Amino acid sequence: MNSWIEGADSRETHFPIQNLPFGAAKLPDGSIACVSAIGSFVVSLTALEAAKLLDTGSDGDLFNQDNLNNFMARGSNIWRSVRNQLVDLLELNGKPDLKNSSRLQVKVLFLQSDVEMKLPFTVAEFTDFYAGKQHAQNVGAMFRGVSDLPANWLHIPIGYNGRASTVVVSGTDIRRPNGQLKPLGADQPVFGPSNKMDVELELGAVVGTGNKMGTPITIAEADEMIFGYVLINDWSSRDIQAWEYQPLGPFQGKAFGTSIGAWIVTKDALEPFRTQLPPRDLPNLPYLEETKPGLYDINLKVDLTPKNASKPTTICQTNYNRMYYSLAQQLTHHAIGGCQMNTGDLLGSGTISGTKPSEFGSLLELSWNGERQIECTGGEARTFIEDYDRLTMTGWAQGEGYIIGFGECTGCILPAIKM
């Protein structure tokens, strides 16, 4: 497919017509609109709906909202219909209504540089998983001296309930947390700022339609419930986490901030990039057996930019296909006991790490818990994140002559509040 939008057919753009992700943006006039992206432009779905160029099957204004939740709740038939209508309006040889109307274009098309991206959906709940085998083995080797996995790990996508209240959109600064820390060799904990601030490279599933309480779901139903995928940086305080996590897992070490990308990439855009799970060490229980390939071939990269650096240093390059469990499996397991999943629930994949050190998706692994320094452009070095460092994630699936991109997920660490 080709588009009449300038720059949309570039091999470098994250947002060709084959993508058309969904988000929310503050427009130059101060209004907030539901939007899509193509080339270097955002497309106001709110304006297209008002102009009767999108049939949403709704009596009300589905996109006259400041987030996508109402749209997400309508289900996969409406998601696909709207995306197909967008393709028809933006394709070179598609419907001419927008292409031939400069009057409409000024209401619908805005340069991405002229808008402020907002949180694309209201996050109902946030659940983070621990589904990367290499990451789990690395953590075991560091903290238990062996890379053996916990006894349940090869049977269960392990997760914990995080905080929806501190999920923020890319570009939001994150404050270094204070908390209880137990220095090496000390008998008692102390209180103060975290000294081991970390990044966690993850992919997130955004739940569109839910299930009723008490009603488990199948893998196929879980896949149908997922509206799309976002980049996630689940910021982590490793020293706070190390002191608190037994016996109930992470708490304050994770609750202070989670950044997500501004763009939700749809399953339809990613469909050509589905790929199989890696071979099972042990057979899955039947309810976790996939009906179709559940992972995606998505390249992922993390850049670190120290405060005074002129350019970033790439510290990690990996791929979502390294995961042991898919997000559809994670969603299925989440609901299998009868847990009600709702529109706007966010599920994090867990840290994505490959087998090579350059593929490790956290500074905890890259520095081996502070034992190794990571050299940065300009002569600086890091073991963990320092104040005013910026971490930026990008992700893309590589097609023939185009890419399906997620844009960026970026955030800067601010100093802790003195207490």
Side-chain angles (χ1 to χ4, degrees):
M1 291 187 292
N2 295 95
S3 174
W4 54 269
I5 299 289
E6 184 180 354
D9 299 330
S10 166
R11 290 171 178 261
E12 283 72 46
T13 182
H14 273 217
F15 308 116
I17 195 170
Q18 291 90 342
N19 192 350
L20 301 180
F22 292 100
K26 184 177 181 180
L27 303 181
D29 67 359
S31 65
I32 297 177
C34 296
V35 295
S36 184
I38 184 164
S40 58
F41 292 87
V42 299
V43 182
S44 172
L45 306 176
T46 307
L48 285 177
E49 182 182 52
K52 309 297 184 185
L53 291 181
L54 285 181
D55 179 6
T56 64
S58 174
D59 294 333
D61 295 326
L62 196 60
F63 292 117
N64 189 21
Q65 313 287 335
D66 59 7
N67 60 61
L68 295 163
N69 287 61
N70 284 2
F71 175 49
M72 288 159 45
R74 293 299 303 277
S76 59
N77 289 338
I78 295 298
W79 308 338
R80 186 165 293 116
S81 171
V82 167
R83 185 172 180 274
N84 289 340
Q85 291 175 69
L86 278 175
V87 169
D88 206 15
L89 287 168
L90 298 170
E91 194 176 8
L92 184 62
N93 297 314
K95 287 178 64 176
D97 304 61
L98 182 60
K99 177 184 176 183
N100 293 344
S101 175
S102 57
R103 179 184 60 83
L104 268 177
Q105 287 177 30
V106 298
K107 297 180 180 180
V108 171
L109 295 172
F110 302 89
L111 284 170
Q112 290 189 35
S113 58
D114 289 340
V115 306
E116 177 188 346
M117 298 306 297
K118 310 298 285 186
L119 197 66
F121 63 103
T122 297
V123 182
E125 307 279 358
F126 171 49
T127 304
D128 193 37
F129 284 83
Y130 187 52
K133 184 179 179 183
Q134 186 65 50
H135 175 69
Q137 289 177 322
N138 288 342
V139 170
M142 274 184 278
F143 294 110
R144 297 192 305 273
V146 292
S147 59
D148 294 346
L149 297 165
N152 59 357
W153 198 95
L154 293 171
H155 300 279
I156 297 175
I158 297 172
Y160 70 93
N161 290 311
R163 289 292 301 174
S165 61
T166 45
V167 176
V168 295
V169 73
S170 171
T172 306
D173 293 336
I174 301 294
R175 181 74 62 178
R176 182 182 297 271
N178 290 294
Q180 285 197 26
L181 325 165
K182 190 171 182 291
L184 187 64
D187 294 328
Q188 299 295 325
V190 297
F191 179 84
S194 170
N195 295 310
K196 290 187 175 181
M197 279 292 296
D198 200 0
V199 57
E200 283 196 343
L201 171 60
E202 303 191 28
L203 192 71
V206 180
V207 175
T209 55
N211 63 303
K212 292 182 179 179
M213 181 178 172
T215 307
I217 61 174
T218 66
I219 289 278
E221 288 169 334
D223 191 73
E224 191 75 2
M225 288 163 61
I226 295 173
F227 174 67
Y229 297 90
V230 293
L231 294 175
I232 293 182
N233 180 357
D234 192 27
W235 303 91
S236 301
S237 165
R238 298 302 186 185
D239 41 5
I240 293 175
Q241 181 182 355
W243 171 234
E244 73 181 2
Y245 82 100
Q246 294 184 9
L248 295 181
F251 186 44
Q252 294 299 323
K254 298 275 192 169
F256 61 92
T258 299
S259 298
I260 68 170
W263 294 109
I264 306 173
V265 177
T266 65
K267 293 196 303 289
D268 283 350
L270 291 171
E271 194 65 26
F273 307 98
R274 281 188 182 267
T275 187
Q276 298 282 355
L277 292 166
R280 304 289 87 182
D281 292 28
L282 296 172
N284 287 324
L285 291 174
Y287 79 97
L288 288 174
E289 281 297 321
E290 291 200 314
T291 55
K292 59 182 175 180
L295 296 181
Y296 297 94
D297 183 3
I298 300 172
N299 299 295
L300 298 161
K301 181 166 74 84
V302 181
D303 288 342
L304 189 158
T305 309
K307 176 183 177 182
N308 297 315
S310 59
K311 58 182 181 178
T313 298
T314 297
I315 59 173
C316 168
Q317 289 182 288
T318 188
N319 194 294
Y320 176 60
N321 63 20
R322 306 297 195 265
M323 299 304 285
Y324 192 82
Y325 293 104
S326 72
L327 280 157
Q329 286 177 312
Q330 291 164 238
L331 178 54
T332 300
H333 182 68
H334 203 322
I336 203 65
C339 177
Q340 179 172 318
M341 308 303 296
N342 295 313
T343 298
D345 281 349
L346 175 66
L347 275 62
S349 64
T351 305
I352 303 168
S353 294
T355 56
K356 303 174 184 177
S358 61
E359 295 183 322
F360 294 169
S362 68
L363 287 167
L364 175 70
E365 297 165 90
L366 289 165
S367 74
W368 211 251
N369 197 23
E371 292 181 9
R372 308 167 185 164
Q373 288 205 328
I374 301 157
E375 300 299 327
C376 299
T377 303
E380 295 199 54
R382 293 288 186 272
T383 53
F384 290 97
I385 302 170
E386 297 186 8
D387 289 346
Y388 301 108
D389 284 353
R390 177 170 294 279
L391 276 298
T392 302
M393 298 173 173
T394 52
W396 68 96
Q398 183 65 59
E400 291 189 16
Y402 70 97
I403 60 176
I404 301 296
F406 287 75
E408 291 185 345
C409 180
T410 187
C412 179
I413 293 296
L414 301 180
I417 293 174
K418 292 184 180 180
M419 297 186 68

